[in-house]
């Protein structure tokens, strides 16, 4: 999933998902299955996407006591997703338990899915974090703190905004993955995101993968929107 443009399949059902995917007949895609699709359709959605040859990031953002997360991850590891995630706010022990569960559940001969942690959601503003989470200081400091905790727990990387990528790579190292949502083309609809960037900016900041949802899924021509975004991400001028 490294260097991928990951499309967020934020659809309620399989029919809409299939209709969307049918517009990409010859592309090998990296796809994100989130709560909306997974909770309404169950684990079979993962195998049906994998059977089409696509990569899957299963974005369920686990956040519970360590034992529950460990057992849940052991189950998720059997589904064949390439990447899964947790909330770093669950703490180091919870993240270590997630890794234990993944190691335990990954079938013999298969690779353990990558595991990354959400730092601060890209929809969260600094003001909101200060007031509602009662975390003082800057958003960047909070993201860096969570990224360090994530590394100490042995995970592969974090979900963060593009604006924190440089600091994270500087402090933690270039191999630590930064997966960045909140991606919009210049002048595109921001929706509920606050810390946004264009694919070009994400690339110049050194993001390892970008997650793009509505800028592609809500477009009148999703294939064109995808190809344009991908070219911008890969630095190819159309
Ligand atoms: O439509 P949009 O591009 O804003 O979608 C972003 C996707 O990335 C959504 O599926 C959302 O759940 C996910 N995400 C996010 N911010 C995070 C983690 C995940 O927006 N920090």
């Amino acid at each position: 999933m490294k260097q991928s443009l990951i499309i967020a399949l934020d659809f309620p059902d399989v029919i809409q998902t299939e209709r969307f995917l049918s517009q990409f007949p010859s592309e090998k895609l990296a796809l994100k299955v989130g709560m909306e699709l997974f909770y309404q359709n169950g684990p079979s959605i993962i195998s049906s996407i994998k059977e089409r040859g696509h990569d899957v990031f299963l974005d369920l953002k686990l956040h519970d006591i360590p034992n529950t997360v460990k057992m849940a991850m052991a189950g998720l590891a059997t589904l064949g997703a390439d990447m899964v995630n947790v909330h770093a706010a669950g703490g180091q022990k919870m993240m270590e338990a997630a890794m234990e569960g993944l190691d335990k559940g990954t079938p013999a001969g298969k690779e353990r899915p990558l595991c990354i942690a959400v730092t601060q959601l890209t929809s969260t503003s600094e003001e909101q974090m200060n007031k509602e989470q009662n975390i003082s200081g800057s958003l960047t400091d909070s993201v860096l703190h969570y990224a360090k905790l994530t590394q100490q727990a042995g995970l592969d990387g974090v979900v963060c905004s593009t604006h924190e990528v440089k600091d994270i790579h500087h402090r933690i190292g270039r191999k630590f993955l930064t997966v960045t949502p909140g991606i919009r083309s210049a002048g595109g609809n921001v929706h509920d995101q606050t810390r946004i960037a264009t694919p070009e900016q994400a690339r110049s900041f050194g993001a390892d993968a970008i997650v793009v949802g509505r800028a592609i899924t809500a477009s009148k021509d999703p294939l064109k929107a995808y190809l344009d975004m991908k070219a911008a991400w890969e630095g190819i001028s159309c």
Side-chain angles (χ1 to χ4, degrees):
M1 301 224 91
K2 291 165 197 169
Q3 297 307 321
S4 300
L5 184 167
I6 304 170
I7 304 177
L9 289 178
D10 291 326
F11 298 113
D13 58 45
V14 179
I15 294 171
Q16 285 188 50
T17 306
E18 297 274 339
R19 196 179 299 145
F20 176 77
L21 291 178
S22 68
Q23 298 171 82
F24 300 81
S26 50
E27 303 284 330
K28 175 177 161 54
L29 303 171
L31 300 167
K32 182 171 87 64
V33 173
M35 298 181 197
E36 185 178 357
L37 194 54
F38 190 84
Y39 290 160
Q40 293 181 72
N41 299 280
S44 63
I45 189 76
I46 306 299
S47 47
S48 76
I49 293 174
K50 289 295 293 179
E51 276 160 24
R52 287 168 175 259
H54 303 308
D55 286 337
V56 177
F57 168 23
L58 180 55
D59 174 25
L60 298 180
K61 301 186 182 72
L62 273 63
H63 187 175
D64 208 318
I65 60 170
N67 188 57
T68 301
V69 169
K70 178 173 150 186
M71 301 320 281
M73 280 299 190
L76 294 185
T78 65
L79 302 182
D82 302 278
M83 186 156 75
V84 295
N85 63 355
V86 296
H87 265 288
Q92 186 169 340
K93 284 212 170 95
M94 186 207 77
M95 291 194 274
E96 287 167 354
M99 296 302 278
E100 265 182 64
L102 286 175
D103 284 335
K104 187 171 167 230
T106 302
K110 299 270 178 193
E111 264 186 48
R112 165 182 72 70
L114 293 170
C115 186
I116 58 177
V118 176
T119 52
Q120 288 285 351
L121 293 168
T122 41
S123 55
T124 302
S125 66
E126 189 164 289
E127 189 191 7
Q128 216 182 339
M129 181 191 81
N130 295 152
K131 280 192 188 157
E132 297 178 13
Q133 299 178 26
N134 201 21
I135 295 176
S136 55
S138 75
L139 227 147
T140 307
D141 282 348
S142 172
V143 170
L144 284 173
H145 169 75
Y146 279 139
K148 194 85 201 129
L149 198 67
T150 303
Q151 183 212 24
Q152 282 163 12
L155 276 69
D156 301 294
V158 285
V159 186
C160 60
S161 93
T162 53
H163 305 282
E164 292 109 23
V165 167
K166 271 190 182 167
D167 280 341
I168 290 173
H169 280 153
H170 179 67
R171 300 255 187 108
I172 299 182
R174 193 61 197 83
K175 283 194 178 150
F176 192 67
L177 297 178
T178 52
V179 177
T180 61
I183 304 296
R184 298 290 183 270
S185 47
N189 189 336
V190 171
H191 303 105
D192 51 357
Q193 299 283 17
T194 64
R195 284 143 57 226
I196 58 161
T198 63
E200 291 91 338
Q201 287 169 325
R203 179 167 47 85
S204 74
F205 294 149
D208 295 289
I210 55 172
V211 176
V212 186
R214 287 160 290 187
I216 294 174
T217 56
S219 161
K220 282 192 187 119
D221 187 345
L223 178 59
K224 183 177 184 313
Y226 168 73
L227 293 174
D228 287 350
M229 279 261 176
K230 192 162 177 279
W233 165 237
E234 291 171 354
I236 302 160
S237 49
C238 295

